[in-house]
Amino acid sequence: MASLPLFKFVALFVRHISKYGGNLIKTKAHDHPKFRVYAAKYGQRMHQLNMRMAVTLLKNSTAEKQVKENSEELSSLKPPNDSGHGNLSNMRNVSKEKSLPKEVPPSVWKRKFRPLPEAKAVELFANVVGDSFVLLVAGSLVFYEYLRTKGKPDISTELKNKLDELEQRESDLEKINKRTLEKVEALEVAIVNLEKNTSKK
């Protein structure tokens, strides 16, 4: 029983120390030149990914379709010219516009966003690495505790087994008690019969 509070105390201590380790990683990222280059590169990638996900979440495709349809309707409602020749040329222009492939907006996932300044990119990457370190330590402690508790036998199973044993023992003792009572009754009957036989003589 004493090991559980001790383990919790040690786990709390390790998690607290890991926060200092994560903060140390964050501060040293700005000073170390090789890590700074690496952090700037991957910080920019993280920024691009964050921006793409944010734009995808904020993007309303139904509203874009409605705007596109409305603009097509407005462009098709051009006033006709009085001369038949001009009307024919308008029809040709409209048919040419329809036959030309429309410019498809680029996918959000292929779009390049404005990069972050190097210091902010390094800070972003360092924050991710530092927080990942803290989460890794906390996750490993949780996993260790899970394995530790899984290795112990289940107390409820032990208690159930002991209860079953006690019930079995109680039923055995009841059977023995019944047999003993039957023997005592048989002996009493035999004694009474013996006394009757001796008193008759």
Side-chain angles (χ1 to χ4, degrees):
M1 282 297 194
S3 65
L4 184 64
L6 181 63
F7 175 75
K8 294 221 182 239
F9 177 72
V10 170
L12 181 66
F13 180 72
V14 168
R15 276 190 276 166
H16 190 68
I17 294 298
S18 70
K19 287 180 185 177
Y20 287 117
N23 290 337
L24 183 68
I25 290 171
K26 292 175 189 178
T27 56
K28 293 291 182 180
H30 294 286
D31 300 335
H32 197 276
K34 287 184 181 178
F35 185 73
R36 186 175 176 84
V37 170
Y38 182 78
K41 177 182 173 186
Y42 286 102
Q44 292 295 348
R45 286 189 181 179
M46 286 180 189
H47 170 67
Q48 294 293 325
L49 181 66
N50 286 343
M51 291 300 295
R52 288 174 183 153
M53 287 193 298
V55 168
T56 303
L57 289 174
L58 295 175
K59 189 176 177 182
N60 189 352
S61 59
T62 56
E64 286 181 2
K65 287 179 184 177
Q66 286 178 349
V67 168
K68 192 174 183 181
E69 288 173 1
N70 289 341
S71 65
E72 287 176 2
E73 288 176 9
L74 289 175
S75 65
S76 66
L77 294 176
K78 291 180 182 175
N81 289 345
D82 292 330
S83 65
H85 185 67
N87 195 5
L88 184 61
S89 65
N90 278 344
M91 296 278 281
R92 287 182 187 161
N93 288 338
V94 169
S95 65
K96 285 181 183 177
E97 287 176 6
K98 287 183 181 177
S99 65
L100 290 175
K102 294 184 179 178
E103 191 175 312
V104 178
S107 172
V108 173
W109 296 102
K110 293 180 182 177
R111 184 175 164 193
K112 289 283 184 182
F113 293 93
R114 186 170 54 106
L116 285 174
E118 184 183 356
K120 286 192 176 186
V122 170
E123 186 176 341
L124 174 67
F125 185 75
N127 286 338
V128 169
V129 170
D131 293 341
S132 299
F133 176 73
V134 172
L135 287 174
L136 178 71
V137 169
S140 61
L141 286 173
V142 168
F143 185 68
Y144 174 73
E145 189 169 348
Y146 168 74
L147 289 178
R148 200 172 125 249
T149 56
K150 191 173 182 177
K152 289 183 179 179
D154 192 14
I155 294 173
S156 62
T157 309
E158 285 182 16
L159 291 175
K160 186 177 179 184
N161 291 340
K162 285 184 180 181
L163 183 64
D164 291 341
E165 287 176 13
L166 288 174
E167 287 176 354
Q168 181 67 31
R169 188 172 177 192
E170 184 181 2
S171 65
D172 291 344
L173 288 174
E174 284 178 1
K175 288 177 185 176
I176 291 171
N177 193 17
K178 277 185 182 179
R179 280 189 249 143
T180 307
L181 286 176
E182 288 173 0
K183 287 179 183 178
V184 168
E185 287 176 3
L187 285 174
E188 286 177 354
V189 169
I191 290 173
V192 169
N193 288 338
L194 186 62
E195 286 178 356
K196 284 182 185 178
N197 288 339
T198 54
S199 63
K200 287 182 182 178
K201 291 182 181 179

